[in-house]
Amino acid sequence: MIALRIGLPQPNFNQLEKHLYEVSDPDHERYGQHLSKAEVEHLVAPHQESIDSVNEWLFSFGLAEDDLVKSPARDWVTVKVPVSLAEKMLDTQYHVWKHSESGDYLVRTTSYSLPSDLHDHVDLIQPTTMFGRFKKHKSTIFKVTAEKDALSKASNSEPIVDSVSGVTVDASCNKVITITCLQQLYNAVGFVPSANVGNSIGITGYLGQFANKQDLQSFFADQRPDALNSTFKFISVNGGLNNQTLDEAGDEADLDVQFAFGLSHPIAPTFYSTEGEPPFIPDVVTPTNTNEQVPMTSNLVVPYTEWLDFILSHKNPPLAISTSYGDDEQTVPESFANRACAGFAQLGARGVSLMFSSGDGGVGDGDPDPATQQCFTNDGRNATKFIPGFPASCPFVTAVGGTSHVPEVAVSRFFSGGGFSNYFSRPAYQEKVVQAYLDSLPKGTYAGLFNPNGRAFPDVSAQSDFFKVFIGGQAFLIGGTSASSPAFTGFVALLNDIRLKAKRPPMGFLNPFLYSKGFAGLNDITSGNNAGCGTPGFNVGKIPWFYCVYRLQGLLHSQPKVGIQVRAIKGLPKAETDTFPEVTGLGTPNFGKLKDLVLAI
């Protein structure tokens, strides 16, 4: 059996997009007037002609209305059929494919076709030609064996005054990041949110990552004792599990729930576990699945749409949601990327803030060595090119990069992901800051390696290294942008608390606010870079910026030759070019400033 998911066109999506930007723009009269579930579904519904045409086609193969599972807006149809019938429907032949390195099995075909009269009524069908996998963003773990020594040395040091934000931070925070460190660094000490104003926060989990409740209690005892004996609501999506055996605890899941829910307590928390994996075209960077073995019987390929179908069917989804999973953008078929991104837009229009970690590969693979870099296109040319990440590259989500240390710099050990999308054009909300940056670059900088007209990411950043997390009953330090996204989301939940207590709507889609007014409540990051693809990547710099310009001579992936020049860029207006979006975005949160800004709109 195979579950075919058929995507029908959304002819009025441009109208939804218009509504999304109006209700998310703090300068628009409709700001905060989010759409209802029914209104969003009406705007993304396919034409009746498309529904009828697809139904007629399915019925011609003996299927009945009861065999069709449709999404709330009827823009997705799922049918579970024998592979032999799928072959007839799609005029193709499926095979069982085994991955030579990992041993994973998939049921796929190399081509398929539809009757010509259906071409205008179907966007995509999966699983068909999409081979490959899905990955959690890197969570590098270090066992906390020397924590006492580190903290003992730090206790003898003077507190650190951050030169950018002016806040005072314990010296220990340069060794171990805790809830207290984040509250100090991001100016939220003493703020207590409400539990009864309708606020909520969510974490998504995939790939069999289990969030352990006993670990959460250990974390609360260590860092948030007032939250002891509280827990999160668990929701299974498509059969997702949350095994509570201690030795099955997931590093990613534990990290996400402990810091997101620890920062936002007592705001109502939910953890979603979704079974399945998305469509994917293998490339050199992520050719295998190191996170789980996919059984031969598993034909689910789209966890984002599985989760989106589920969450969009609910009237009241969490108001701030973090995801620390993604793919190289080029490994996601563009048709799927567009449909998933459109689903994120639906949530934004309904008042949900979506955060995604920007990844840990810098501008591609995280490798600054030209001799060993793996940033090759997977279109048959094997050309060297920066590799953006998805869903961080979707313009309807807030991508979160990583910083480390106090004062903060772009995280150096994991190379905060960032760059320019090859699928999505640059949205209007970031036109001014990104175009000003591009105009300031010396002519020819990284020419041909990135799309200067694409959506730039990340949008913001937060600490992403040395997070103290409890996993399987033990304390560990974790690093990666998989830490920064749930941390930033915790502060978004606090901002929603401010808004809701003032009888105002939640923040919703954040980016128009961040790029127009919110940047005034963010801390500039003035140092660091995001190496990858045989280059140091993009650099962060305080105005004037100093950075290396790399001119690739040839683009032979075996030994690209790199010449280095150091240039200075004259200062430009602060509101236009204050930070470098492709490393740390507009900056890290200063909650003390942001809470005043969100009450002023």
Side-chain angles (χ1 to χ4, degrees), residues 16 19-26 29-40 43 319 345-353 496 499-500 504-510 601:
L16 174 74
H19 284 287
L20 172 65
Y21 282 123
E22 288 180 354
V23 302
S24 305
D25 180 356
E29 62 183 2
R30 292 186 60 207
Y31 179 71
Q33 298 177 24
H34 302 119
L35 304 185
S36 68
K37 175 178 179 289
E39 289 170 331
V40 167
L43 287 169
L319 297 178
Q346 293 179 53
L347 283 172
R350 289 173 56 180
V352 176
S353 301
N496 280 333
R499 296 274 298 173
L500 294 170
R504 300 184 186 181
M507 297 296 297
F509 177 40
L510 293 173
I601 54 176

Side-chain angles (χ1 to χ4, degrees), residues 87-378:
E87 291 177 329
K88 294 178 182 178
M89 295 168 64
L90 303 177
D91 190 22
T92 190
Q93 186 174 14
Y94 277 87
H95 297 275
V96 176
W97 300 78
K98 180 180 180 181
H99 192 273
S100 59
E101 294 182 19
S102 67
D104 294 347
Y105 290 93
L106 293 175
V107 177
R108 297 292 185 271
T109 180
T110 56
S111 65
Y112 73 98
S113 62
L114 293 172
S116 58
D117 59 356
L118 277 181
H119 290 185
D120 291 336
H121 303 298
V122 174
D123 277 347
L124 73 163
I125 299 180
Q126 291 298 335
T128 49
T129 59
M130 310 309 177
F131 290 76
R133 290 144 179 92
F134 170 52
K135 61 181 179 180
K136 66 186 175 72
H137 284 313
K138 190 186 302 176
S139 292
T140 302
I141 302 176
F142 304 90
K143 192 170 183 179
V144 189
T145 54
E147 180 193 2
K148 291 183 179 179
D149 292 338
L151 295 179
S152 176
K153 293 178 182 177
S155 66
N156 297 322
S157 304
E158 292 293 324
I160 304 168
V161 178
D162 188 274
S163 58
V164 176
S165 64
V167 300
T168 300
V169 182
D170 290 345
S172 62
C173 298
N174 256 327
K175 300 289 185 179
V176 178
I177 290 293
T178 63
I179 291 292
T180 298
C181 290
L182 294 175
Q183 291 171 331
Q184 291 176 349
L185 184 59
Y186 297 142
N187 199 12
V189 174
F191 181 81
V192 180
S194 283
N196 56 3
V197 292
N199 202 357
S200 52
I201 182 172
I203 291 293
T204 64
Y206 300 97
L207 301 174
Q209 279 281 314
F210 306 139
N212 189 275
K213 295 183 178 181
Q214 183 176 332
D215 282 337
L216 182 63
Q217 295 306 310
S218 298
F219 178 83
F220 283 160
D222 182 68
Q223 300 186 34
R224 194 74 201 249
D226 60 317
L228 270 170
N229 299 319
S230 68
T231 190
F232 53 84
K233 180 180 181 181
F234 167 67
I235 295 181
S236 170
V237 180
N238 194 43
L241 303 176
N242 196 33
N243 188 327
Q244 289 301 293
T245 306
L246 261 183
D247 60 10
E248 293 293 327
D251 55 346
E252 184 64 64
D254 273 0
L255 163 66
D256 291 352
V257 302
Q258 287 172 26
F259 273 88
F261 301 161
L263 282 165
S264 60
H265 178 77
I267 295 170
T270 301
F271 173 69
Y272 298 90
S273 176
T274 303
E275 182 65 32
E277 60 175 354
F280 176 105
I281 305 168
D283 68 354
V284 177
V285 176
T286 52
T288 64
N289 177 7
T290 58
N291 299 295
E292 71 169 358
Q293 294 294 314
V294 181
M296 187 169 68
T297 55
S298 175
N299 297 307
L300 297 169
V301 294
V302 281
Y304 295 135
T305 48
E306 291 288 341
W307 179 77
L308 280 167
D309 280 355
F310 180 87
I311 203 71
L312 287 170
S313 70
H314 285 70
K315 185 177 180 180
N316 297 306
L319 297 178
I321 302 174
S322 175
T323 298
S324 294
Y325 299 78
D327 299 304
D328 295 338
E329 188 183 67
Q330 69 170 358
T331 69
V332 180
E334 190 167 359
S335 60
F336 170 75
N338 282 322
R339 285 304 294 259
C341 193
F344 301 142
Q346 293 179 53
L347 283 172
R350 289 173 56 180
V352 176
S353 301
L354 290 174
M355 274 59 65
F356 281 84
S357 58
S358 68
D360 306 295
V363 291
D365 60 355
D367 184 359
D369 187 347
T372 56
Q373 65 88 17
Q374 298 287 304
C375 294
F376 310 135
T377 60
N378 62 348

Side-chain angles (χ1 to χ4, degrees), residues 325-559:
Y325 299 78
D327 299 304
D328 295 338
E329 188 183 67
Q330 69 170 358
T331 69
V332 180
E334 190 167 359
S335 60
F336 170 75
N338 282 322
R339 285 304 294 259
C341 193
F344 301 142
Q346 293 179 53
L347 283 172
R350 289 173 56 180
V352 176
S353 301
L354 290 174
M355 274 59 65
F356 281 84
S357 58
S358 68
D360 306 295
V363 291
D365 60 355
D367 184 359
D369 187 347
T372 56
Q373 65 88 17
Q374 298 287 304
C375 294
F376 310 135
T377 60
N378 62 348
D379 55 3
R381 296 181 301 122
N382 275 358
T384 300
K385 197 166 185 178
F386 291 169
I387 301 177
F390 179 83
S393 64
C394 171
F396 306 128
V397 306
T398 299
V400 186
T403 63
S404 63
H405 301 301
V406 185
E408 292 184 276
V409 299
V411 67
S412 57
R413 288 197 299 125
F414 305 104
F415 302 119
S416 175
F420 294 83
S421 172
N422 291 315
Y423 289 172
F424 303 102
S425 59
R426 184 161 60 249
Y429 60 75
Q430 63 175 194
E431 178 65 31
K432 179 182 286 188
V433 62
V434 174
Q435 190 58 55
Y437 160 69
L438 291 172
D439 291 343
S440 73
L441 287 178
K443 187 177 181 180
T445 301
Y446 291 144
L449 293 185
F450 71 96
N451 172 25
N453 299 311
R455 181 269 207 267
F457 71 98
D459 302 295
V460 293
S461 288
Q463 287 279 318
S464 62
D465 207 356
F466 305 116
F467 277 50
K468 185 181 179 184
V469 180
F470 285 80
I471 306 168
Q474 299 183 64
F476 294 87
L477 297 185
I478 283 187
T481 54
S482 53
S484 56
S485 183
F488 188 87
T489 302
F491 287 99
V492 174
L494 299 186
L495 294 177
N496 280 333
D497 178 80
I498 295 287
R499 296 274 298 173
L500 294 170
K501 281 193 287 197
K503 308 298 182 183
R504 300 184 186 181
M507 297 296 297
F509 177 40
L510 293 173
N511 294 4
F513 161 74
L514 292 171
Y515 283 87
S516 62
K517 298 181 184 298
F519 70 86
L522 300 173
N523 306 314
D524 293 342
I525 307 304
T526 62
S527 177
N529 67 296
N530 63 346
C533 305
T535 77
F538 297 109
N539 280 33
V540 180
K542 191 71 174 177
I543 300 171
W545 291 327
F546 292 86
Y547 56 89
C548 295
V549 176
Y550 294 81
R551 301 185 182 279
L552 274 76
Q553 305 162 358
L555 290 178
L556 296 175
H557 69 256
S558 57
Q559 286 186 333

